[in-house]
Amino acid sequence: MKDKVSIISFACSTIFLAYLWGVITGTYQIFPHAVFKSAKQVVDEFTTSDSETETTSSSKGPRSLHTFPYREYYSGGGVTISNPEKSYQGYTLFTAYDGDKCTNLLVNFEGDVVQEWHIKFSEVWGKEAPFLEQQFGDEWTCWQGTHLSPNGDLTAAFIDNGRPYCGGMVKLDLDSKVVWSLPKCTHHDVHLGEDGFIYAPGMYLVEGESENEDPGKRSLTFRQSPSSQSEVVFWETPILKDTVVVASQDGEFLEEIQVLDAFFNSDYRGRLSGHFRPLQHTKGTLDPTHLNDVELITEGWAKHHSKVNSGDIMVSARNMSALLIIDRATKTIKWMTSGPFAQQHDSDLLDNGNILLFDNKGAVGSENGGTRIIEWDPKTQEIVWEYGGTRERPLHSAFRGSQQPLPNGNVLITETTGGRVLEVTRNGEIVWEYINKLDNNTVGVVIRAQRFTPDSLDFLNSEN
């Protein structure tokens, strides 16, 4: 009996002392307060879905869509780490929220802005964009994918928080004047293929069943009925149907490939049912695939895969946590994998046949931040390299994010919700870092950073 009393007394004393120490560390912000707070930021971000995040932000106002907490393990703003001997030096292009607007910035190695592109959404599309049912306005709009030409022209995709969540494509010159605009419901990515054409994710908002709709093309998932027999469940409207939009570099619309049709007309039709996650976007529309990246299959990548041809199209379907390859000739899915990743972004095709991608949630539960960059071999299904930060400085971005393989072997990473761009070596050393610090508590969003060598940008060389 005395032993039980002693054990209970010890346990109560331990709990009380732990509580007291927690109060003291929280009040005076001493160790391990910073560790616990950083861990809480990671947990909060990964237990909140994209849709929940956007809904919460929308209720707070447009600025909250583009800002995130300044992390305690950061130090300063702008370029905070620079190792010229180990980094791939050049200019870095990225979309950033500067505290007032979303803009596209080109900075030098020291972090100084050398060129900026910006135009308001309404200056391109007016107050009624032809592809939006509901338009929120300039303050709710940001940029996502971009392509920078040697002459300084910038092709970019807007994203609007309206319904559906797309913003069309526009090309700007060095003075941010519109060269052309493409009034299609594009979003997320702008990819210039080896064939010289532009590829981007697009979408349609379907409010009701079309009179010509084939009912056989409407099954997305299966469920167990009370009798334990499988029952087909049809998708409900409204629904977002993703497409791949193809355009010329002059802004001429060329082609649009329907992704759900590519599923239904292929041998992977049943896989759609098995992988479909009935997520909803902020506006209450079912978003079965949620494309966030389009890549034209290159000759260098295709030679490693016997069933794939250069000119086929790879897309990243985030809501399925899957990568898909669309046969360009038949417009059907010819390959699909779920891999060791979750809600991924930016699948880059490497000449060795591997894929480098931003794995947003594939490492949730690890000692780091839950997000990682992985180089993945699709033939062996093995991860051959990964970077997830460290316990002290974790990499974590529950949504968005990208990476770029650099010629010297390093990787340039965009940690979107951290407002950070970092260049890491293959052994995990950070050799360059830029933090988009707005104030001591806030960073502005950073999207899709890209590194350019000085001699690849003719418009800069012509000015020197």
Side-chain angles (χ1 to χ4, degrees):
M1 182 65 180
K2 289 183 178 180
D3 290 342
K4 290 184 178 179
V5 172
S6 298
I7 293 173
I8 294 173
S9 298
F10 175 76
C12 291
S13 299
T14 302
I15 293 171
F16 174 75
L17 289 174
Y19 171 77
L20 181 62
W21 182 243
V23 172
I24 293 172
T25 59
T27 302
Y28 296 100
Q29 297 191 5
I30 59 178
F31 181 84
H33 168 74
V35 175
F36 288 147
K37 185 172 182 180
S38 296
K40 182 178 183 300
Q41 289 177 340
V42 174
V43 172
D44 287 347
E45 188 171 310
F46 277 94
T47 54
T48 304
S49 71
D50 279 17
S51 296
E52 289 171 347
T53 301
E54 292 171 359
T55 302
T56 303
S57 299
S58 298
S59 64
K60 293 179 180 178
R63 191 177 189 274
S64 60
L65 283 171
H66 314 313
T67 60
F68 299 91
Y70 183 87
R71 297 174 181 173
E72 291 196 353
Y73 48 85
Y74 288 172
S75 177
V79 175
T80 57
I81 297 175
S82 177
N83 187 334
E85 295 182 357
K86 294 185 177 182
S87 62
Y88 186 73
Q89 295 190 48
Y91 295 91
T92 306
L93 172 73
F94 54 86
T95 291
Y97 180 71
D98 63 7
D100 176 56
K101 63 185 182 305
C102 279
T103 185
N104 285 281
L105 301 175
L106 185 69
V107 303
N108 60 21
F109 194 72
E110 291 73 34
D112 303 317
V113 177
V114 297
Q115 177 65 34
E116 179 177 5
W117 295 263
H118 171 72
I119 193 170
K120 293 181 179 180
F121 185 73
S122 60
E123 291 176 331
V124 179
W125 304 116
K127 293 185 177 181
E128 293 185 4
F131 41 78
L132 290 180
E133 177 186 278
Q134 182 181 14
Q135 186 169 324
F136 274 26
D138 294 330
E139 66 273 22
W140 294 91
T141 306
C142 204
W143 305 79
Q144 286 199 301
T146 58
H147 171 76
L148 179 59
S149 301
N151 68 351
D153 286 351
L154 184 77
T155 305
F158 281 113
I159 184 167
D160 186 87
N161 199 49
R163 190 170 187 265
Y165 63 92
C166 58
M169 194 184 303
V170 63
K171 174 178 276 193
L172 304 178
D173 65 15
L174 272 173
D175 297 320
S176 295
K177 301 287 181 59
V178 176
V179 178
W180 54 256
S181 57
L182 183 65
K184 300 293 290 185
C185 193
T186 58
H187 54 94
H188 275 94
D189 186 30
V190 174
H191 172 69
L192 180 63
E194 286 186 341
D195 58 4
F197 297 137
I198 296 171
Y199 296 81
M203 70 171 66
Y204 285 103
L205 173 64
V206 181
E207 294 282 19
E209 183 179 357
S210 168
E211 293 182 0
N212 299 321
E213 187 75 56
D214 177 4
K217 290 185 176 183
R218 298 188 65 228
S219 61
L220 286 182
T221 190
F222 293 89
R223 66 184 176 197
Q224 294 296 316
S225 65
S227 61
S228 297
Q229 295 179 350
S230 292
E231 177 184 357
V232 176
V233 177
F234 298 108
W235 52 257
E236 299 176 357
T237 55
I239 188 172
L240 296 170
K241 296 181 70 173
D242 275 317
T243 69
V244 175
V245 175
V246 186
S248 72
Q249 292 189 60
D250 295 326
E252 179 187 0
F253 170 72
L254 301 175
E255 184 183 13
E256 194 159 30
I257 302 170
Q258 302 277 349
V259 175
L260 290 185
D261 285 357
F263 260 114
F264 293 128
N265 297 326
S266 75
D267 293 336
Y268 286 90
R269 178 174 178 172
R271 295 284 298 276
L272 178 63
S273 299
H275 287 76
F276 172 56
R277 300 177 63 212
L279 298 181
Q280 289 191 325
H281 190 256
T282 309
K283 303 306 167 191
T285 48
L286 289 177
D287 193 5
T289 53
H290 193 101
L291 296 194
N292 56 34
D293 184 66
V294 177
E295 299 283 331
L296 191 71
I297 301 297
T298 62
E299 291 186 7
W301 195 82
K303 69 181 182 182
H304 296 277
H305 305 278
S306 59
K307 297 182 179 181
V308 178
N309 300 314
S310 61
D312 288 341
I313 299 171
M314 176 178 284
V315 298
S316 169
R318 192 211 68 175
N319 283 2
M320 300 176 70
S321 292
L323 299 177
L324 321 170
I325 293 182
I326 301 174
D327 188 309
R328 189 63 178 276
T330 63
K331 306 296 188 296
T332 60
I333 305 296
K334 66 189 307 182
W335 180 83
M336 172 181 174
T337 186
S338 294
F341 42 82
Q343 299 194 24
Q344 74 291 332
H345 286 73
D346 194 22
S347 50
D348 292 325
L349 306 178
L350 305 181
D351 283 342
N352 63 3
N354 293 343
I355 299 173
L356 191 71
L357 57 82
F358 196 97
D359 183 11
N360 290 77
K361 297 186 179 182
V364 170
S366 71
E367 65 178 16
N368 297 341
T371 295
R372 59 187 177 177
I373 308 300
I374 63 172
E375 181 179 340
W376 176 66
D377 185 339
K379 291 193 291 187
T380 65
Q381 301 283 298
E382 293 179 345
I383 296 175
V384 300
W385 177 82
E386 69 178 280
Y387 175 81
T390 63
R391 182 181 299 178
E392 294 76 21
R393 291 174 65 84
L395 182 73
H396 62 99
S397 188
F399 53 93
R400 297 181 184 169
S402 67
Q403 77 291 312
Q404 176 193 13
L406 299 175
N408 67 346
N410 292 352
V411 179
L412 188 72
I413 301 171
T414 311
E415 188 184 27
T416 295
T417 60
R420 180 168 69 138
V421 180
L422 59 156
E423 179 186 350
V424 301
T425 64
R426 285 289 176 145
N427 63 11
E429 180 184 358
I430 300 176
V431 295
W432 191 85
E433 179 183 72
Y434 181 98
I435 298 174
N436 186 28
K437 181 180 180 181
L438 301 182
D439 55 49
N440 290 333
N441 299 311
T442 312
V443 295
V445 70
V446 176
I447 306 174
R448 296 258 178 178
Q450 303 167 66
R451 180 70 52 81
F452 295 86
T453 58
D455 59 0
S456 67
L457 300 177
D458 296 341
F459 71 94
L460 291 180
N461 299 327
S462 64
E463 294 177 359
N464 295 334

